[in-house]
Amino acid sequence: MNKAAFFAPLLRGAIITKTGVPWIVSSVINTIGNGSQGVNSTGQNPSAALWVDAGETTAQDEKTLADIFAKALSSAPLTAENKIPARICVKSGGEEYHYLSAPDFAGIEKIRQGAQAEGWDIVPAATHTPCSPISTLAPSRADVVKNRIALVTGGAQGFGEELTRGLIASGALVFIADLNLIGAEKLAQTLNAEYGKPVAFPAGVNVSDEDSVRAMIENITLTAGGLDLCVSNAGVLRAASILEQDIESFKFVTEVNYTAFAVVSKHCALLMKRQHAAAPAWTTDIIQINSKSGLDGSNKNGSYAGSKFGGIGLVQSFAKELVEYGIKVNAICPGNFFDGPLWSDPVKGLFVQYLNTGKVPGAKTVAEVKAFYEAKVPMNRGCTGPDVLRAALYLVEQVYETGQALPVTGGQVMLS
Ligand SMILES: NC(=O)c1ccc[n+]([C@@H]2O[C@H](COP(=O)([O-])OP(=O)(O)OC[C@H]3O[C@@H](n4cnc5c(N)ncnc54)[C@H](O)[C@@H]3O)[C@@H](O)[C@H]2O)c1
């Protein structure tokens, strides 16, 4: 493994333990976003405010290294002033691994752009209000994810885009991971311009390809130092009768909705576990965007419903295993997102398809098809991005629950 990526979450965990708040630890060889490649903005190796000797190799276990980082951060001058160095160098096996450190990415940019020249080489930890379970409660629901590092798969459109926007509005830094890299880049660009600072990073990924997921996680680690929240949202739907569906399309749906969730969970959990070695009181979250079809079968849509039911089995199993590392694993089961592209796309959306195939008897317009489906919901409307965001923030804030499947269906599906 890339040693810079190996050390980063341990360093980040040690800083979180010291400050009680999320932190960015960015390797100067980061590969996503605005990072310089191997050198700082002046073209020279940055000088560090803190040097840590991590010994010869990474053969040392995570806990031992976590202790080394914790000890270095508690060195006398830093403790006295309650400060976190903005430039940190880890020495190991004759190599130097340089990192920039700040509470958010705007701070990292400030250091990159020469804040060293202004003498800004340490960050006062005490100026940041703790908003994590390490302290007590978040000051408000909106602060639950403030400065947390989040990953949203399938983040370029639909529910993924809504969640990306909502998490950023709540103060998170979001990696928008999508097969559609151009869409992810466009959205990141829009959001970074809107907020006037780096809040979103595009990441091309195919979640059903393990090498692609591994590379994405390594890039996130080098860019931000760790991960607090994974929203596994990428999903596909190919509705068909079991009497007619070709088995390849059945397998495709299973691969993306079920197997890829396991692949993404595996690599996120490996990173979160390493961070946890240095931040044992810090909780992290994996949230699967499941579906009401994961709780209740779906007529002529078995591949989708089966993959989502299976997802809940994985959520419960991973929750039991990963609780040891402070990782909560839960699912959100939204109802139909009628205003999203899956349903409302004017060319290939489900409303148009159902109108053309006469699936809704008597319906003559898209509006009539929509009204037919809305009438199935006790609250008489489809699910929206903010509905799902509210559930995600609840799951992050709730530190005494894991392995649950939370319906957000306007009463259409009720748990028994
Ligand atoms: N739309 C709904 O009514 C609805 C209802 C309940 C649950 N859901 C679930 O919400 C999630 C998002 O659904 P949506 O309707 O917003 O979808 P969408 O089709 O609008 O967007 C899905 C995104 O995932 C990306 N993606 C697809 N395959 C990928 C892969 N292999 N690797 C990386 N990215 C990939 C796509 O490029 C796209 O940007 C899915 O898991 C879906 O099952 C949707």
Side-chain angles (χ1 to χ4, degrees), residues 154 157-159 178-179 205-207 233 290 304 308 334-335 337 343:
Q157 70 164 50
F159 270 145
D178 208 294
L179 201 53
V205 72
N206 177 358
V207 289
N233 163 81
N290 197 285
Y304 183 75
K308 294 293 187 178
F337 180 23
W343 286 84

Side-chain angles (χ1 to χ4, degrees), residues 243-327:
L243 302 176
E244 292 162 9
Q245 186 168 41
D246 67 276
I247 214 65
E248 283 314 311
S249 103
F250 186 97
K251 282 183 183 167
F252 170 71
V253 173
T254 309
E255 183 77 20
V256 179
N257 293 356
Y258 177 76
T259 311
F261 168 58
V263 173
V264 169
S265 295
K266 172 183 170 181
H267 289 280
C268 286
L270 283 167
L271 171 56
M272 289 166 165
K273 172 179 173 285
R274 220 171 325 132
Q275 187 177 279
H276 176 82
W282 185 251
T283 57
T284 53
D285 287 87
I286 295 174
I287 297 177
Q288 189 204 26
I289 302 304
N290 197 285
S291 170
K292 71 175 172 53
S293 302
L295 299 169
D296 190 16
S298 184
N299 188 17
K300 296 191 177 168
N301 198 12
S303 57
Y304 183 75
S307 68
K308 294 293 187 178
F309 266 74
I312 291 176
L314 296 180
V315 162
Q316 292 183 1
S317 307
F318 297 164
K320 287 182 182 183
E321 179 180 349
L322 300 176
V323 69
E324 181 184 350
Y325 307 112
I327 306 169

Side-chain angles (χ1 to χ4, degrees), residues 101-174:
S101 131
D104 58 20
F105 224 88
I108 296 287
E109 286 299 290
K110 203 170 157 193
I111 304 166
R112 272 195 220 292
Q113 286 159 16
Q116 187 191 21
E118 300 160 24
W120 196 59
D121 59 354
I122 40 180
V123 181
T127 59
H128 304 283
T129 319
C131 58
S132 77
I134 281 184
S135 58
T136 48
L137 289 176
S140 79
R141 177 69 56 83
D143 283 335
V144 165
V145 294
K146 190 175 163 205
N147 288 344
R148 287 196 185 221
I149 304 166
L151 161 69
V152 179
T153 70
Q157 70 164 50
F159 270 145
E161 175 177 352
E162 295 277 316
L163 285 163
T164 295
R165 288 180 179 276
L167 288 170
I168 288 174
S170 306
L173 170 79
V174 178

Side-chain angles (χ1 to χ4, degrees), residues 148-222:
R148 287 196 185 221
I149 304 166
L151 161 69
V152 179
T153 70
Q157 70 164 50
F159 270 145
E161 175 177 352
E162 295 277 316
L163 285 163
T164 295
R165 288 180 179 276
L167 288 170
I168 288 174
S170 306
L173 170 79
V174 178
F175 288 86
I176 306 170
D178 208 294
L179 201 53
N180 174 7
L181 178 59
I182 293 175
E185 282 172 344
K186 268 192 196 149
L187 180 58
Q189 220 169 29
T190 304
L191 289 166
N192 290 336
E194 208 172 286
Y195 285 84
K197 59 180 183 178
V199 290
F201 293 90
V205 72
N206 177 358
V207 289
S208 40
D209 173 351
E210 184 167 15
D211 286 343
S212 171
V213 171
R214 190 184 286 111
M216 169 187 72
I217 294 294
E218 185 165 300
N219 283 340
I220 290 173
T221 311
L222 292 171

Side-chain angles (χ1 to χ4, degrees), residues 358-381:
K359 189 167 173 180
V360 177
K364 292 192 177 52
T365 62
V366 160
E368 284 171 6
V369 179
K370 189 176 182 196
F372 173 83
Y373 281 96
E374 281 173 342
K376 290 175 184 274
V377 185
M379 290 185 174
N380 207 33
R381 67 167 175 86

Side-chain angles (χ1 to χ4, degrees), residues 67-78:
D67 290 344
I68 290 172
F69 291 141
K71 208 178 267 173
L73 283 167
S74 67
S75 73
L78 293 172

Side-chain angles (χ1 to χ4, degrees), residues 208 241 408:
S208 40
S241 152
V408 183

